[in-house]
Amino acid sequence: MRAILMEARGGPEVLKPGEVPTPEPGPKEVRLRVKAAALNHLDIWVRKGVASPKLPLPHVLGADASGVVDAVGPGVTGFAPGDEVVVNPGLSCGHCERCLAGEDNLCSRYEILGEHRWGAYAEYLVVPEVNLVRKPQNLSFVEAAAIPLTFLTAWQMVVDKLGVRPGDEVLVMAAGSGVSVAAIQIAKLFGARVIATAGSEEKLRKARELGADETINYTHPDWHKEVRRLTGGKGVDKVVDHTGALYFEGVIRATANGGKIAIAGASSGYEGTLPFAHVFFRQLSILGSTMGSKSRLFPILRFVEQGKLKPVVGQVLPLEEAAEGHRLLEERRVFGKVVLQVD
């Protein structure tokens, strides 16, 4: 089968088209013919060696995919060849205490497709049956592939970690990213007033079209003061952040006393300055967040089917242009998701 192989760690040029054996499904596994695979910043971190630096090479990236069931292994009961599906990218043991409590993303054996095992930049993909859900009929394969990782991440941050409720003022950083595109919509769904930041006027305009109530260009040095002004001097109640070291001190200063900050990444760097006095004196809560429980994809897709949430696709490229997709994502030239179409 055709696949995009990561042959080394480095820039986008290490991603090269190649041929690898077509995988066979084992017990309780399903093989799908991939129709679309979405890119994530996780793919860039793995490519650079920041995440999972000891992975054997070559490697196939890609957490998000949609496609058509092609073959099923022994014991599969929920799907049959021809079914249109979306891949749920979090893999876990399925039988430990965390998994049985619905906290599978805290399983000690938790893995993410495309990071810890071969992923979706390929014609075919084999995953456990429990990692498939049916594709909403009102979505194209490209739109469906743009949902799982970022919406799961945003749902856990907004709903499970921050507990956003009507009347909350919520700051969503880096509005053009996949996670933040989802977070803006989910926060609005739960009744929040959303303040979104981005680095260009075009991205801020699109954030307002998605539902953001206020927008701020965070390339301005005093952007956090504008957050304070827009909240009557109080600061925001809750923050969705994955921007990292460059903006973290501003995030702290933009947060209200007793506020909560959920962090799911560090795009601008992993080592930042933490003003401890703000944290303990103003009683801030800083909450780490990775992905979300597999179960959360079900309500997400229901809201998508109802038209209350929507994937935002910024660029579609053929599979062979995965390297260009990485450049677009890394240079922040796209609002929403970059998706590879697999013909």
Side-chain angles (χ1 to χ4, degrees):
M1 69 173 182
R2 289 179 301 135
I4 301 299
L5 301 175
M6 185 180 82
E7 298 182 338
R9 288 176 176 80
E13 69 278 357
V14 304
L15 301 177
K16 297 180 180 179
E19 292 284 335
V20 295
T22 301
E24 294 295 329
K28 297 186 178 180
E29 290 184 333
V30 174
R31 184 174 71 198
L32 62 145
R33 173 75 166 84
V34 178
K35 292 291 188 179
L39 276 59
N40 292 284
H41 277 282
L42 175 63
D43 303 354
I44 294 172
W45 300 334
V46 175
R47 192 199 74 219
K48 289 181 172 181
V50 176
S52 299
K54 296 181 180 180
L55 277 176
L57 299 176
H59 182 70
V60 177
L61 296 168
D64 286 331
S66 64
V68 178
V69 172
D70 171 73
V72 299
V76 171
T77 59
F79 296 94
D83 288 344
E84 297 182 350
V85 294
V86 181
V87 174
N88 204 325
L91 302 122
S92 63
C93 76
H95 54 73
C96 71
E97 183 175 357
R98 291 291 198 182
C99 286
L100 295 178
E103 300 173 336
D104 47 282
N105 56 328
L106 289 172
C107 173
S108 62
R109 292 167 58 186
Y110 188 72
E111 296 181 337
I112 300 175
L113 191 70
E115 178 182 3
H116 304 101
R117 63 172 72 185
W118 279 26
Y121 293 10
E123 287 185 290
Y124 293 93
L125 176 66
V126 169
V127 295
E129 179 184 14
V130 296
N131 283 85
L132 291 181
V133 292
R134 297 188 183 278
K135 181 181 77 67
Q137 292 302 303
N138 60 331
L139 294 184
S140 68
F141 286 107
V142 166
E143 291 170 325
I147 293 172
L149 187 142
T150 51
F151 272 84
L152 280 168
T153 300
W155 186 278
Q156 173 162 287
M157 296 173 83
V158 173
V159 182
D160 298 330
K161 296 287 184 176
L162 296 175
V164 169
R165 57 191 180 184
D168 280 346
E169 293 184 304
V170 177
L171 174 65
V172 178
M173 297 292 289
S177 71
V179 169
S180 295
V181 162
I184 289 169
Q185 297 180 68
I186 295 168
K188 291 300 296 180
L189 183 66
F190 280 81
R193 178 186 182 223
V194 173
I195 301 173
T197 69
S200 74
E201 293 308 311
E202 176 66 10
K203 289 183 178 180
L204 294 175
R205 180 184 65 79
K206 290 181 177 179
R208 289 191 292 272
E209 290 175 356
L210 266 184
D213 299 282
E214 306 284 353
T215 55
I216 298 170
N217 190 319
Y218 64 4
T219 62
H220 299 159
D222 292 334
W223 65 267
H224 57 278
K225 293 182 180 178
E226 180 64 7
V227 175
R228 287 274 176 173
R229 187 189 71 79
L230 289 171
T231 55
K234 170 180 71 74
V236 291
D237 305 297
K238 289 153 187 182
V239 183
V240 172
D241 186 30
H242 47 85
T243 55
L246 186 60
Y247 301 102
F248 186 58
E249 190 167 354
V251 166
I252 293 286
R253 295 178 184 278
T255 306
N257 291 359
K260 296 180 179 180
I261 302 166
I263 299 176
S267 299
S268 69
Y270 283 88
E271 297 184 6
T273 300
L274 176 62
F276 283 99
H278 279 270
V279 176
F280 66 76
F281 185 75
R282 299 203 293 113
Q283 302 183 59
L284 306 182
S285 298
I286 300 173
L287 308 167
S289 190
T290 292
M291 289 285 287
S293 166
K294 283 195 286 289
S295 66
R296 301 301 191 256
L297 192 54
F298 291 95
I300 289 168
L301 291 180
R302 282 197 295 271
F303 282 122
V304 170
E305 287 184 300
Q306 294 166 12
K308 296 178 180 178
L309 297 174
K310 65 177 181 179
V312 175
V313 177
Q315 183 73 50
V316 180
L317 297 169
L319 176 66
E320 288 74 17
E321 294 185 26
E324 176 61 19
H326 274 236
R327 292 186 187 96
L328 291 172
L329 192 61
E330 201 162 5
E331 295 167 10
R332 305 185 186 283
R333 287 191 274 149
V334 176
F335 185 93
K337 300 288 287 184
V338 178
V339 181
L340 303 177
Q341 206 158 20
V342 187
D343 294 325

